[in-house]
Amino acid sequence: MASRVSVMGSVLINDNDMDRRRIELVSSIAEEINKRRTFAIISHPDAGKTTLTEKFLLYGGAINLAGSVKGKATARHAVSDWMEIEKERGISVTSSVLQFNYDGYCINILDTPGHQDFSEDTYRTLMAADSAVMVIDASKGVEAQTRKLFKVCGMRGIPIFTFINKMDRDANDTFELLDEIEKELGIATCPVNWPIGSGKRFKGVYNRHGNHVLTFSDTQKGTREGETTVIPMDNETLLLEKIGDEALSILRDEIELLDGASAEFDIEQVRKGKLTPVFFGSALTNFGVEVFLQNFLKMATTPLPRISQGETIDPVENDFSAFVFKIQANMNKAHRDRVAFMRICSGKFDAGVEVRHVQGGKVMRLSQPQQIMADERKILSEAYAGDIIGVFDPGIFSIGDTVCAPKNDICYEGIPTFAPEHFARVRQMDTMKRKQFIKGVNQIAQEGAIQIFQEFHTGMEEIIVGVVGVLQFDVLKYRLENEYNVEIKLEPLPYEYIRWIENKDEVDLNKLSGTSDMKKIQDLKGNPLLLFINQWSIGMTVDRNKGLVLSEFGRN
Ligand code: G4P
């Protein structure tokens, strides 16, 4: 190529130089993006998610002492609290993002509220993850909340890695645990390691790939590494000494059974979310955590491409783009601020550079871009695909919105609306404050904390609120009182299931023949929905109305 000369500032640069610099820039962006692993940890409360996260952070050097992320009983619970409700109940309603480096990787953990009263936000956070770690308590197996969160991961087909925790306590039979995961969640399992006993007789794990045993010693909580000995399977003498005759004989039988019964390891199946690699360990005593982390990081994907209007947006090839997956109000009560959390899907984000808010049709600069880790906020100058940034939101963003480089036309698929499981009729105590009431309810709904519905084919007079976790009812009441000065009364409704009508244009709702306990409602856009008390009624209604297609997820 002929070498022309351009003027950049006061420096003369020729085309060859510019090409080289461009290539260097692109490859350094690619390097940053490929280092990233962005995942969520899903589990039922008390399975050990917080303990495992703390140990991850410990390995990454992000914290010095395990136990500083959050806990229930101690003062450390306050780190991600933002509302009195959380403090009163000693739980964490909000989620935050934890970023740290380990072994050349830049890890983003999307921390999801672990309490039983989790909200729709927990589901939405999963939309921002590229993979998920599923923590299961070895003595409890697959529990309700894990099942729900898994369903959302399954819908996206993201890779899922299983950590079966608390092996230092008496555990369920290992084969039965795997069988339960396969049957209940519909995903094939492939144990990467295999436990040798559990509880007081827990001796360690057998590593299938390396054909060796890692011995367990009950080390102090919070230390970085326990005392683990690696023993090859052919070192019979040492094995007998460390794990004993009986455990060794059982292990040999189990390995034989396992090799015959378990699915072959296939990384492609893992990446499609059809096969989950399974690890056993004990987060509390720090056994098996680093092995898990190392293997997980190798197998987990770099930031995944996302779909915009039928087109695949590659994280490395494309300029900056991101979507809003969460909006949180009042993170700083003194300022009544709103923060929009965005997942960067492609390219590099430079603070101060203009971006296009696609849904708002405006070119703008994102205000105060920050990384939010527990209660710490760090102002960012740059971030990459895979990262999560929080930006100040003057009330313009909605969940699912896209921002991208001004010259591009990207619009990511919206985030589904997840089925609320609790419903209540909202009564306003002071009818004079109707305006504030409507404003408050709408704003809180826009942030995604609640979903609002109306009686079918009537006006806005009666509002029905649906929430994923019952705590959101308290949040709604609290916020309406504190922020909008409106008092409300909530009358619980008996429904637990909501279904969107996928083919609403083909169905005559007036002729719909449901069960006697079915209730027709509509969302604010007039879309019809059905409420049910139990799953049996859903099946009955589908049976009675030929062609009716119901869905658990709604599209915005
Ligand atoms: P979560 O975030 O999933 O809700 O669980 P969390 O890590 O808070 O763990 C729940 C309880 O289980 C904690 O005990 C924790 O110490 C314990 N735990 C976690 N991993 C293991 C493990 O591998 N083995 C054993 N034996 N216990 C484990 P707690 O008494 O409820 O709380 P804390 O006072 O210790 O914080």
Side-chain angles (χ1 to χ4, degrees):
M1 183 172 76
S3 168
R4 277 184 293 115
V5 175
S6 333
V7 179
M8 268 184 91
S10 58
V11 187
L12 292 176
I13 300 172
N14 66 33
D15 273 0
N16 287 341
D17 276 346
M18 279 176 58
D19 283 348
R20 187 174 47 77
R21 284 186 187 186
R22 208 171 293 130
I23 291 167
E24 273 170 13
L25 182 69
V26 169
S27 73
S28 84
I29 292 177
E31 202 177 297
E32 282 295 335
I33 295 173
N34 289 329
K35 267 182 10 188
R36 269 139 174 97
R37 298 290 182 278
T38 303
F39 63 96
I41 307 189
I42 60 172
S43 72
H44 192 80
D46 276 347
K49 184 171 68 75
T50 311
T51 312
L52 188 69
T53 308
E54 283 175 352
K55 297 293 151 78
F56 284 168
L57 293 177
L58 198 63
Y59 286 116
I63 54 170
N64 298 321
L65 242 195
S68 55
V69 178
K70 63 182 177 190
K72 293 168 203 108
T74 63
R76 57 194 161 95
H77 86 259
V79 287
S80 72
D81 286 356
W82 61 285
M83 263 179 58
E84 293 305 314
I85 283 185
E86 292 183 315
K87 287 187 191 135
E88 276 164 23
R89 301 203 180 191
I91 55 164
S92 169
V93 182
T94 55
S95 30
S96 60
V97 185
L98 308 165
Q99 187 181 63
F100 63 98
N101 293 303
Y102 172 80
D103 207 12
Y105 295 96
C106 175
I107 298 165
N108 292 307
I109 302 184
L110 297 161
D111 185 26
T112 49
H115 192 268
Q116 205 145 7
D117 283 319
F118 73 130
S119 69
E120 217 183 326
D121 257 355
T122 318
Y123 289 142
R124 277 190 288 255
T125 298
L126 297 179
M127 295 290 141
D130 295 314
S131 49
V133 166
M134 176 165 74
V135 184
I136 288 178
D137 181 331
S139 69
K140 305 242 174 82
V142 177
E143 296 176 88
Q145 195 159 308
T146 313
R147 217 172 283 132
K148 288 181 192 171
L149 294 167
F150 181 89
K151 216 185 233 177
V152 177
C153 295
M155 180 181 87
R156 292 189 52 221
I158 59 172
I160 301 199
F161 299 84
T162 304
F163 186 80
I164 300 194
N165 191 28
K166 303 198 187 182
M167 290 308 299
D168 59 307
R169 287 211 189 140
D170 286 340
N172 294 356
D173 177 81
T174 316
F175 285 106
E176 277 172 22
L177 274 169
L178 297 179
D179 207 41
E180 194 182 342
I181 294 172
E182 302 211 344
K183 288 212 175 93
E184 290 238 4
L185 305 177
I187 187 168
T189 59
C190 179
V192 175
N193 57 28
W194 189 260
I196 306 165
S198 69
K200 288 202 172 64
R201 283 170 294 116
F202 183 49
K203 307 282 187 204
V205 291
Y206 162 68
N207 180 306
R208 295 180 73 198
H209 183 68
N211 195 31
H212 58 242
V213 163
L214 291 165
T215 61
F216 167 73
S217 78
D218 192 348
T219 51
Q220 272 198 318
K221 291 181 193 182
T223 55
R224 202 187 139 118
E225 270 158 55
E227 261 179 51
T228 294
T229 314
V230 181
I231 314 173
M233 277 307 273
D234 53 14
N235 192 341
E236 179 104 7
T237 321
L238 196 55
L239 282 174
L240 285 172
E241 184 196 314
K242 292 281 183 191
I243 69 170
D245 187 15
E246 196 189 344
L248 184 59
S249 150
I250 295 173
L251 175 65
R252 289 218 161 101
D253 288 349
E254 288 185 339
I255 295 173
E256 208 180 306
L257 250 173
L258 180 65
D259 288 345
S262 113
E264 284 282 315
F265 182 80
D266 178 347
I267 193 71
E268 282 314 308
Q269 292 297 96
V270 174
R271 298 243 157 105
K272 285 184 195 152
K274 296 198 180 313
L275 177 72
T276 178
V278 182
F279 299 77
F280 295 82
S282 158
L284 186 69
T285 56
N286 215 358
F287 181 78
V289 175
E290 193 165 25
V291 174
F292 172 66
L293 184 61
Q294 285 164 344
N295 278 281
F296 162 71
L297 290 171
K298 267 187 224 137
M299 292 181 212
T301 55
T302 52
L304 291 172
R306 304 262 169 167
I307 305 294
S308 155
Q309 301 164 93
E311 210 186 299
T312 303
I313 306 296
D314 185 88
V316 175
E317 304 288 316
N318 285 270
D319 296 330
F320 167 75
S321 70
F323 71 90
V324 178
F325 67 95
K326 172 186 162 83
I327 291 174
Q328 194 163 304
N330 286 354
M331 288 197 63
N332 181 344
K333 205 162 181 251
H335 298 105
R336 286 257 165 113
D337 62 351
R338 258 167 62 128
V339 172
F341 286 82
M342 297 179 181
R343 150 78 201 229
I344 303 179
C345 300
S346 62
K348 181 186 179 194
F349 167 74
D350 281 303
V353 169
E354 286 191 324
V355 298
R356 188 147 77 92
H357 173 215
V358 178
Q359 281 75 5
K362 282 208 175 95
V363 171
M364 59 192 287
R365 285 194 174 83
L366 295 177
S367 181
Q368 302 167 19
Q370 48 197 299
Q371 192 193 4
I372 297 174
M373 176 162 167
D375 63 344
E376 277 176 35
R377 298 184 189 197
K378 200 170 83 188
I379 297 290
L380 290 170
S381 56
E382 57 181 48
Y384 296 87
D387 289 343
I388 310 297
I389 54 171
V391 302
F392 172 72
D393 172 21
I396 57 169
F397 292 115
S398 290
I399 283 169
D401 282 4
T402 301
V403 288
C404 62
K407 63 178 184 330
N408 290 342
D409 182 23
I410 293 178
C411 186
Y412 288 112
E413 290 177 335
I415 291 184
T417 307
F418 298 97
E421 291 176 19
H422 308 276
F423 300 87
R425 210 182 285 281
V426 189
R427 294 233 189 270
Q428 192 192 340
M429 305 308 280
D430 181 354
T431 45
M432 299 297 283
K433 292 183 180 162
R434 187 79 189 155
K435 242 176 152 176
Q436 289 104 299
F437 170 67
I438 298 293
K439 186 175 164 210
V441 167
N442 272 302
Q443 229 160 46
I444 296 168
Q446 195 196 356
E447 287 162 22
I450 56 164
Q451 289 180 41
I452 39 183
F453 309 103
Q454 295 163 268
E455 292 284 346
F456 192 60
H457 284 168
T458 61
M460 185 76 181
E461 289 309 309
E462 286 270 284
I463 289 182
I464 294 170
V465 173
V467 294
V468 168
V470 282
L471 180 67
Q472 296 304 317
F473 283 143
D474 293 357
V475 172
L476 172 68
K477 203 164 177 317
Y478 178 94
R479 290 193 52 192
L480 281 176
E481 276 169 26
N482 283 272
E483 292 167 36
Y484 301 91
N485 201 17
V486 174
E487 229 182 297
I488 57 158
K489 199 168 158 228
L490 290 158
E491 287 171 12
L493 294 169
Y495 308 99
E496 284 182 23
Y497 299 88
I498 189 166
R499 290 294 179 269
W500 279 263
I501 300 173
E502 289 271 295
N503 53 343
K504 63 178 186 329
D505 299 332
E506 297 159 23
V507 177
D508 182 351
L509 264 121
N510 296 315
K511 290 197 184 136
L512 198 75
S513 148
T515 50
S516 57
D517 57 9
M518 186 188 83
K519 184 171 177 62
K520 289 182 215 169
I521 54 167
Q522 61 186 28
D523 63 18
L524 296 189
K525 290 183 189 144
N527 293 316
L529 299 125
L530 303 175
L531 292 181
F532 299 93
I533 286 178
N534 54 40
Q535 242 162 349
W536 178 85
S537 302
I538 304 176
M540 244 355 235
T541 305
V542 171
D543 284 351
R544 282 186 189 164
N545 299 275
K546 229 172 165 281
L548 176 70
V549 185
L550 301 180
S551 160
E552 254 183 84
F553 307 105
R555 281 273 154 210
N556 283 321

